């Protein structure tokens, strides 16, 4: 599904070049649930943004289903992002002035999905995540865990192939974190959604099937958890 070849990301300032990512090579299969770990500043968010078409590598090649992302126009990249990727953020990034319903509906408005279909899609999502009763509430009226459920629902509304989650449980208590991880596991196992999450928690990493460890912008270790999940 994803191939990264010799990806570098650097910032040039005066006569100094600072590498954020250096020589990243990764192959990610459809249906994987991957955890990216590593110390603060290792380049995890930058990697996630590149994978989600939100940032461009300085060098190297990125193939998404054999499409050469590195040579796509900005417009095509933005279309790709909208139609294939769902992003989940640590701080939820919900709009506090919009209801739960309107937050989930938002990506469909950007995609110009027509009214009737939009309604059906949001209703389906509310139902699936058991939040029908919360649909007219505003995010600040919900607990952190509930807000993240809304964040996941919004990320999934367009049926993306790939969910990218940057510390999705970073602001949650352990019980809520486990609920979100169980949600991810279900999406991954039952619907084949590929998930790439960043976390600092060994426990949350245990939900995935492979850990990619980054340090100073390079992959230092890859651990397949093949004994945990086979034939999914
Ligand atoms: P992580 O998510 O692992 O904490 P990041 O990807 O956020 O790491 O950042 C990696 C390093 O690159 C950090 O030292 C950060 O300060 C630096 N960095 C990230 N983006 C930029 C940028 N646009 N300009 C300059 N430095 C950046
Ligand atoms: P937690 O995230 O552990 O549930 P919170 O303090 O976020 O802890 O919320 C505790 C409970 O209080 C939640 O069930 C939530 O629905 C409710 N709650 C939190 N903030 C508000 C608010 N601004 N208005 C109404 N209910 C709230």
């Amino acid at each position: 599904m994803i191939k990264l070849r010799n990806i570098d990301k650097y910032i040039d300032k005066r006569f100094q070049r600072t590498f954020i990512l250096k020589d990243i090579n990764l192959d990610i299969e459809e249906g994987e649930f991957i955890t990216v770990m590593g110390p603060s500043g290792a380049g995890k968010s930058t990697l996630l943004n590149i994978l989600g078409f939100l940032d461009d590598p300085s060098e190297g090649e990125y193939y998404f289903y054999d499409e050469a992302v590195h040579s796509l126009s900005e417009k095509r990249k933005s279309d790709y992002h909208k139609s294939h990727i769902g992003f989940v953020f640590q701080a939820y990034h919900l709009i506090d002035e919009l209801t739960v319903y309107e937050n989930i509906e938002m990506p469909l408005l950007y995609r110009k999905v027509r009214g009737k279909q939009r309604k059906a899609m949001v209703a389906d999502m509310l139902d699936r995540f058991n939040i029908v009763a919360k649909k007219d509430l505003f995010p600040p009226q919900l607990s952190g865990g509930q807000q993240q459920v809304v964040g996941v629902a919004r990320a999934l509304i367009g049926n993306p192939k790939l969910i990218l989650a940057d510390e999705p449980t970073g602001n949650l208590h352990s019980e809520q974190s486990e609920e979100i991880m169980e949600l991810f596991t279900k999406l991954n196992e039952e619907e084949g959604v590929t998930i790439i999450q960043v976390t600092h928690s060994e426990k949350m990493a245990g939900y995935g099937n492979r850990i990619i460890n980054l340090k100073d912008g390079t992959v230092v270790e890859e651990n397949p958890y093949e004994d945990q999940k086979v034939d999914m």
Side-chain angles (χ1 to χ4, degrees):
M1 177 184 205
I2 286 173
K3 277 194 202 115
L4 296 183
R5 290 290 174 268
N6 310 109
I7 293 285
D8 287 344
K9 176 73 182 179
Y10 50 73
I11 308 281
D12 282 330
K13 218 175 180 184
R14 304 250 175 103
F15 303 105
Q16 194 161 352
R17 175 166 287 182
T18 308
F19 280 89
I20 299 174
L21 295 175
K22 195 153 173 43
D23 203 25
I24 303 282
N25 289 281
L26 279 179
D27 288 89
I28 296 168
E29 304 294 332
E30 197 162 353
E32 281 202 272
F33 183 168
I34 289 182
T35 305
V36 180
M37 298 188 87
S40 182
K44 304 181 296 295
S45 297
T46 304
L47 177 63
L48 225 55
N49 288 339
I50 289 174
L51 289 169
F53 312 106
L54 296 177
D55 197 356
D56 296 315
S58 308
E59 308 281 347
E61 291 161 17
Y62 174 9
Y63 299 95
F64 187 85
Y65 288 110
D66 292 326
E67 185 85 56
V69 178
H70 49 276
S71 44
L72 290 179
S73 68
E74 288 305 317
K75 168 81 174 68
R76 291 272 293 148
K77 260 187 292 200
S78 160
D79 290 346
Y80 250 70
H81 172 81
K82 284 186 204 146
S83 52
H84 294 296
I85 313 277
F87 245 99
V88 178
F89 303 92
Q90 176 175 4
Y92 328 125
H93 283 213
L94 301 173
I95 298 171
D96 286 348
E97 292 72 26
L98 298 180
T99 63
V100 164
Y101 185 100
E102 290 164 338
N103 268 284
I104 296 172
E105 182 186 38
M106 186 64 85
L108 299 179
L109 294 171
Y110 282 123
R111 254 175 270 149
K112 302 192 170 63
V113 176
R114 299 253 292 278
K116 213 169 171 185
Q117 194 191 351
R118 223 165 51 222
K119 241 176 166 166
M121 288 169 84
V122 178
D124 174 55
M125 213 38 93
L126 291 167
D127 196 36
R128 203 161 126 192
F129 290 105
N130 255 322
I131 46 176
V132 177
K134 312 261 184 234
K135 73 181 169 61
D136 297 320
L137 295 180
F138 294 88
Q141 295 176 289
L142 304 176
S143 73
Q146 290 165 343
Q147 289 190 57
Q148 194 58 300
V149 171
V150 175
V152 175
R154 180 189 52 187
L156 277 172
I157 188 79
N159 295 317
K161 296 275 193 192
L162 176 63
I163 292 277
L164 296 171
D166 201 346
E167 300 199 43
T169 61
N171 286 353
L172 303 182
H173 305 295
S174 60
E175 198 178 308
Q176 301 169 324
S177 299
E178 282 160 28
E179 274 172 37
I180 295 294
M181 284 304 109
E182 274 155 26
L183 198 59
F184 277 4
T185 303
K186 195 161 171 239
L187 290 168
N188 177 249
E189 291 182 351
E190 292 176 14
E191 300 182 37
V193 178
T194 307
I195 296 173
I196 305 175
Q197 69 165 353
V198 168
T199 185
H200 286 286
S201 155
E202 294 282 351
K203 195 167 176 199
M204 299 308 131
Y207 285 87
N209 60 359
R210 177 152 64 121
I211 296 178
I212 293 171
N213 271 306
L214 277 186
K215 188 161 184 279
D216 299 331
T218 58
V219 176
V220 288
E221 200 184 357
E222 279 190 71
N223 276 328
Y225 272 49
E226 264 145 15
D227 52 331
Q228 282 188 15
K229 287 190 190 166
V230 282
D231 300 325
M232 14 177 277

